[in-house]
Every structure is written in structure tokens, then in C-alpha cells.
Amino acid sequence: MKKDEPPLDFPDTLEGFEYAFNEKGQLRHIKTGEPFVFNYREDLHRWNQKRYEALGEIITKYVYDLLEKDCNLKKIFIPVDATESEPKSFIFMSEDALTNPQKLMVLIHGSGVVRAGQWARKLIINEDLDSGTQIPFIKRAMDEGYGVIVLNPNENCIEVEKPKTHVQSSSDSSDEPVEKRERKDKVSKETKKRRDFYEKYRNPQREKEMMQLYIRENGSPEEHTVYVWDHFIAKSAAENVFFVAHSYGGLAFVELMIQREADVKSKVTAVALTDSVHNVWHQEAGKTIREWMRENCCNWVSSSEPLDTSVESMLPDCPRVSAGGHEHTRLTVAM
């Protein structure tokens, strides 16, 4: 760690970073027109990473705004019966998500830093909004008469700063002689001074200690998916429900099937998976679930074969076909 590391204080807007999305949805520097540069400060990897993460948080909020303003989706807070003071998450729904009598599209992203409306933060930053977000899926679905629900399975907790704990000094003991206590205090102060100097040199910017407060009944992607099913999807009027699930989203869908098998079978017509990481053996999905998946699911996977070419699978569940050579984060773009 370098002791001349710049402060970890970053802008909270795209304009503050001097970036903006152009008419093609590409992130570009306002002055130079250049794409985002990760290594903004050479030899300062931690600082560059923190800068990237700060930009990513801004982009998450930017995509949320697009979901509401460009896609006309509504933000719905969960748990539905949350008190004012407890941690909350949210999903996005079209106006007709619960009332559309014909069809409903449900989107589930993968694991990591992505949030509702995103497939891959890396693609949003390095390529464009169409590649990295769910917006093209949402707009096409709505154009074709679907209601839409966008899940937010990684928003499982809120972070708050840990309260500071005060340690009572042992030198406060009134049983010790004054001279002995003074010598101990002097040694303690000198030790602390050396330690603080070393810490400042080794790690000049100590970050705040945070603690996580989990969101009730939404503490994991699997819990979140089941919760949204019970409180929204299962109550929708749609005769046909369709899922698009990427990576860990596929695992969350299989877990939903395990917990709500009969209900899922009665409402879900088809499931498009992209590089799903589900495993019917590890998740202990029964024979009837595996049979249903063979008939109603398809998994587009990374492969050098032409698009939609059948790909052999070691698992006895849904068919696997090639996504046409696309890398993991780009698979949804290929569909």
C-alpha cells in the first residue's frame, strides 16, 4: 500500500466523473470522448478499483431511473408489509404486470454487483446500455403485449456503519500505585504512537467498518425469488408466465420450482436460461421437475458452435444450445 494514495472520495454523479452516455448508449468522457479508463492512476490498483466501484453505484441508480422513466416501470418496495424503520428492497413492474390476462415476462439477473435492470455492469461501462442492461428485453416484451416484472435478487441487505466501541483502559485501576500507572500510560502512548504511524504508512486510508442488516424474507437471491413469486407472480392474472434467467438467476428459478413445484407448473409456460449455474443434483430437484424442465426450459451456453446448435449436457434436465461463441456476460445479448 502506498502512503501517497489519493483520498477515496469520489463524485456521486456521472457529471462529477466527467462521463455521460451518448446517443448510442455508450459511456464516454465528456471532454475527450474516450471510453472509461480503469487505470486512471498508475500503480494504485486499490484506488482505481474503489473509483470503478463508485462509478458502478452511480450507474446502478442511472439504470433504475431508466427503468422508471424510459420503460415506464413502477418501483415496488418489499417486504410488502414492511414497517417504516426496517430494511427494504424493491422490484420493478409494468402497470399491467398483475392484470394482463395473457402473458407476463419475469427477468432475473445473475450474482455479484448487478442490480435490477442489469445483466452485466462491465458491459454497461465498456460497451453500451443495450448490451449490459435488460432494457431491450423489457421494451420488446412490452411492445409485444407482455406485462413485465424485474426482480432484484442481489439487494439482500443494507449496510450501516458499525457503532464504535469504547474500551476501558486498564490504567484506570485505582488499585495500582500512581508511579506504576504513569509508567504504563507512557509506554502505552508510545506504543500507540508507533502503531498509528505504521498503520498510516501501511494503510493510509482506513475505511469505515460496516455491518449488514438483512431484508426480511429477501436475504438471498433464492428467498427473494420465492417471495416475489408468492406476493406478485402467483397472484398475476396472466395465463402464461415466461422467465428469462441469467447465470445464478437460473439456480434461483430451480429453487423456486423445488419449493413451489405445482404452482410454477400451473402458471409458467417457458423459461429461457443463459449460462445458468443451476445443478439439479446438488439442488436435489426431483424427477418430475427434471422432466418438466426438459419440456419447458432451454439453456443457452457459451460455446464455439453456431448459435442454437445442440450442446451435450452431463445433467438430465433442460436442453442446452450454443449462444454462438459469446462469453458469459454477453449471453443475453445473443438471444
Side-chain angles (χ1 to χ4, degrees):
M1 184 62 59
K2 295 184 176 296
K3 66 177 180 179
D4 59 346
E5 181 182 59
L8 297 177
D9 295 324
F10 301 103
D12 56 6
T13 64
L14 278 179
E15 293 77 11
F17 270 94
E18 297 188 331
Y19 280 97
F21 286 100
N22 63 21
E23 67 281 355
K24 296 180 180 179
Q26 301 165 324
L27 187 67
R28 294 291 183 263
H29 195 277
I30 294 172
K31 296 178 180 177
T32 66
E34 295 295 316
F36 177 76
V37 176
F38 179 85
N39 289 315
Y40 188 75
R41 297 285 184 95
E42 290 188 12
D43 301 324
L44 291 175
H45 179 77
R46 186 179 88 131
W47 188 88
N48 288 326
Q49 180 63 35
K50 294 296 180 184
R51 173 175 175 265
Y52 178 81
E53 291 170 5
L55 176 65
E57 291 300 311
I58 294 170
I59 285 174
T60 291
K61 295 174 184 175
Y62 185 87
V63 172
Y64 288 160
D65 286 343
L66 290 179
L67 294 181
E68 292 188 279
K69 295 174 183 176
D70 282 18
C71 300
N72 297 316
L73 301 185
K74 298 172 68 176
K75 181 187 285 187
I76 308 296
F77 287 93
I78 53 176
V80 293
D81 59 346
T83 63
E84 189 172 334
S85 59
E86 76 171 294
K88 303 174 191 65
S89 179
F90 50 86
I91 59 173
F92 291 89
M93 300 198 310
S94 63
E95 194 75 42
D96 66 339
L98 302 184
T99 59
N100 188 314
Q102 297 179 327
K103 48 192 180 180
L104 172 67
M105 179 75 73
V106 181
L107 303 177
I108 315 178
H109 58 61
S111 61
V113 296
V114 290
R115 295 294 186 268
Q118 301 181 45
W119 293 127
R121 179 185 288 181
K122 176 182 175 182
L123 292 182
I124 297 173
I125 292 175
N126 296 323
E127 297 205 17
D128 55 47
L129 289 166
D130 279 356
S131 299
T133 74
Q134 298 172 348
I135 290 172
F137 284 73
I138 295 167
K139 288 185 174 180
R140 180 173 175 181
M142 295 176 78
D143 286 344
E144 295 185 7
Y146 289 80
V148 175
I149 295 181
V150 177
L151 271 63
N152 202 8
N154 293 335
E155 191 78 11
N156 309 128
C157 62
I158 62 170
E159 286 196 338
V160 296
E161 190 174 355
K162 274 187 178 180
K164 294 180 180 179
T165 56
H166 297 280
V167 180
Q168 186 75 18
S169 173
S170 60
S171 62
D172 290 342
S173 174
S174 58
D175 296 334
E176 287 185 326
V178 174
E179 291 182 0
K180 185 177 180 181
R181 206 162 56 235
E182 288 176 347
R183 282 197 303 272
K184 286 180 67 176
D185 285 345
K186 184 178 180 181
V187 171
S188 176
K189 288 176 182 177
E190 289 176 352
T191 302
K192 183 178 183 300
K193 186 176 179 182
R194 286 195 299 269
R195 185 174 63 246
D196 289 347
F197 177 81
Y198 172 73
E199 283 294 324
K200 185 178 180 181
Y201 180 82
R202 185 186 66 82
N203 185 11
Q205 298 183 76
R206 302 183 69 179
E207 297 180 68
K208 294 178 180 178
E209 287 191 69
M210 308 297 287
M211 60 186 291
Q212 296 177 329
L213 301 178
Y214 281 89
I215 297 164
R216 175 165 53 89
E217 298 181 80
N218 287 269
S220 70
E222 296 91 327
E223 274 192 7
H224 174 80
T225 303
V226 172
Y227 185 89
V228 176
W229 174 273
D230 288 345
H231 291 82
F232 299 95
I233 304 170
K235 297 177 180 179
S236 67
E239 185 177 343
N240 299 292
V241 176
F242 301 85
F243 276 77
V244 179
H246 178 56
S247 189
Y248 201 90
L251 184 150
F253 174 79
V254 172
E255 185 62 28
L256 171 65
M257 278 217 72
I258 292 169
Q259 295 194 37
R260 302 288 188 271
E261 181 177 353
D263 293 340
V264 170
K265 286 180 177 179
S266 70
K267 286 192 74 75
V268 177
T269 300
V271 181
L273 305 171
T274 58
D275 240 3
S276 173
V277 298
H278 73 273
N279 187 304
V280 291
W281 294 138
H282 293 164
Q283 293 181 259
E284 299 183 357
K287 181 181 178 182
T288 54
I289 290 176
R290 300 196 301 270
E291 290 174 345
W292 185 90
M293 290 182 67
R294 276 197 291 272
E295 295 296 321
N296 298 277
C297 302
C298 185
N299 190 11
W300 278 264
V301 299
S302 303
S303 170
S304 58
E305 296 295 323
L307 181 65
D308 289 334
T309 302
S310 180
V311 176
E312 187 177 353
S313 173
M314 299 295 290
L315 296 173
D317 51 26
C318 59
R320 287 159 46 102
V321 297
S322 172
H326 291 270
E327 61 183 276
H328 178 74
T329 55
R330 292 186 57 84
L331 290 187
T332 49
V333 183
M335 290 184 61

